[in-house]
Each structure stands twice: as C-alpha cells, then as structure tokens.
Amino acid sequence: MTTQTAGNAADQQLQLPAVVNHNSAVVVDAEGGDAVDKELKELLLPNVDHLPISPPSSIQSNFVSYFAPDFTKPEHDQYIYRHANGLCVIGLAAGHVAFKDEGGITSVDFNVGKSNRSEIKVTGKRKRNAQHFESNTALCKVCTNNTFYIARCCVKGSLLEVNERLIKQPELLNTAADREGYIAIIMPKPADWLKSKASFLTFDEYKKLRQF
C-alpha cells in the first residue's frame, strides 16, 4: 500500500458521521441533510440569564459545607467540608473569635496534650498509623498576640493529616482559612458522621446566624 493510499484509507476511517456547526447549531449528517437540533442549540448557546454571576469555587463543586458554631465555647466556630468520598476537611469558620483579635493569628501549634499532631504520618490504603479521635479532641492551638484558642476535630473519626504549612505560614489562617488555611483532614465512619451532622448548620443557616 502506498503512502497516499494509506492516507486516504485513514481519512475514510476517521471520517465522522456528523459535523456540528457551532455558529448556527445545525447538524449536518453524512448525506448532507440539515436538521435543527433544539437540545444541541441550547447546549451550545446557553441563555446568559441562567448563568451564575461567577463560576462555583472548587469547594462549592466538590464539597458540602457544614458549620459548627460555638463548638465547646462561644464563638469557637469551625467548618466541616464533606467530600463525596467521606473525607472531612476541618478548619476555622469566618465567625471564629480568633479573627477578631488585633493582629490576627500569629502562630499554630500542633503539639497539644501528649501528642504532636504534625508527627502523625498515615501510610497506605489502610491508613496505617491513623489515630482515632473524638469530636472534641484538640487538633492544635491557634495563637494570637494575647491568647490562644483550641481548634477541635468536630467529628469523631481517624485523623489522616494536618496542614503542616500552618506551622511556617500561620498567616494562611488570616487570608485563606477556608482554603489553603484548613487545619486537618478526618475520615469519620458513616454512622459517626450522621450523628455529628445532625448538630451542624448549613452554609445559609450559618450566614443567617452570624449575619454575614
């Protein structure tokens, strides 16, 4: 087979049965007939009035947000971002009292009680070395110029990791507590999650409570 023949054969094999004209949203089939496809037109040319003002964030797309206001103490607000795979990302919610201190958060210490949470290293699919904690177990001390606050697990489960970046970059809590400034990732059992979830607020409920 010559190179030209092989090229023609490849072209024939790759020939598509239909071509979409994006400007007119018309489908042209292999025989050359035209057919207006309403569904395709709506897909290619969406109504701008139905589009959100801004695209959803990665958190909004991949997690369901829950909030634990006044967790163990007044204004000790924390968030729990629940992923479809069951993982829970834990952090300080916008209404946490630490953000009201002058100068903001200055340091984060994972050395609480008898254990340094940053030294826990989980390995493998079976999450070896993961420690199991109660919902009120301390994760870290969040320090300001004048005092410190305890951030807690909020859900009963296995601690998979803490955000070690906060040790060297505590300012992430001041600038991006709901993103890069998360505190830890925990995997609760389904039954434990359902028990904890009952006491949490949704995003809209939390905004209404704190009047954001």
Side-chain angles (χ1 to χ4, degrees):
M1 181 181 294
T2 65
T3 303
Q4 182 176 0
T5 303
N8 291 338
D11 291 340
Q12 292 176 357
Q13 292 176 353
L14 294 175
Q15 185 175 3
L16 300 176
V19 177
V20 178
N21 184 327
H22 286 252
N23 294 324
S24 59
V26 171
V27 178
V28 181
D29 61 24
E31 282 68 35
D34 295 348
V36 178
D37 189 325
K38 182 180 179 180
E39 184 178 354
L40 179 61
K41 183 177 180 180
E42 292 176 350
L43 177 64
L44 297 176
L45 303 173
N47 188 332
V48 294
D49 294 332
H50 298 160
L51 296 176
I53 297 176
S54 59
S57 66
S58 60
I59 293 173
Q60 293 171 326
S61 299
N62 300 304
F63 296 86
V64 179
S65 300
Y66 297 93
F67 294 84
D70 304 320
F71 195 76
T72 70
K73 290 185 178 181
E75 294 188 272
H76 282 53
D77 298 358
Q78 293 189 230
Y79 66 73
I80 304 95
Y81 295 154
R82 168 84 167 176
H83 194 273
N85 63 10
L87 291 177
C88 291
V89 180
I90 311 298
L92 300 188
H96 196 285
V97 65
F99 297 124
K100 300 178 182 180
D101 284 8
E102 184 176 357
I105 295 167
T106 57
S107 65
V108 176
D109 186 2
F110 287 103
N111 190 0
V112 289
K114 299 179 181 180
S115 172
N116 188 330
R117 309 303 188 210
S118 64
E119 294 178 353
I120 298 175
K121 305 300 180 184
V122 178
T123 60
K125 293 183 179 180
R126 296 182 179 276
K127 309 303 180 186
R128 296 182 181 87
N129 301 325
Q131 294 190 16
H132 305 280
F133 294 135
E134 298 295 325
S135 60
N136 64 348
T137 300
L139 285 171
C140 65
K141 290 187 288 188
V142 177
C143 306
T144 63
N145 287 325
N146 300 317
T147 187
F148 69 88
Y149 305 91
I150 300 296
R152 302 182 186 275
C153 293
C154 294
V155 293
K156 180 181 179 180
S158 302
L159 178 63
L160 302 186
E161 71 171 61
V162 298
N163 187 2
E164 295 185 38
R165 289 181 63 186
L166 296 179
I167 299 173
K168 294 183 177 180
Q169 296 177 276
E171 65 274 10
L172 287 176
L173 279 170
N174 298 317
T175 60
D178 60 337
R179 302 186 304 279
E180 294 89 348
Y182 74 93
I183 290 176
I185 297 178
I186 293 176
M187 172 60 87
K189 293 181 179 178
D192 291 330
W193 165 250
L194 291 176
K195 291 179 182 178
S196 297
K197 178 184 174 182
S199 64
F200 298 151
L201 301 183
T202 65
F203 179 62
D204 290 337
E205 290 171 338
Y206 182 68
K207 284 201 305 181
K208 184 178 181 179
L209 176 68
R210 294 302 185 218
Q211 299 181 345
F212 290 147

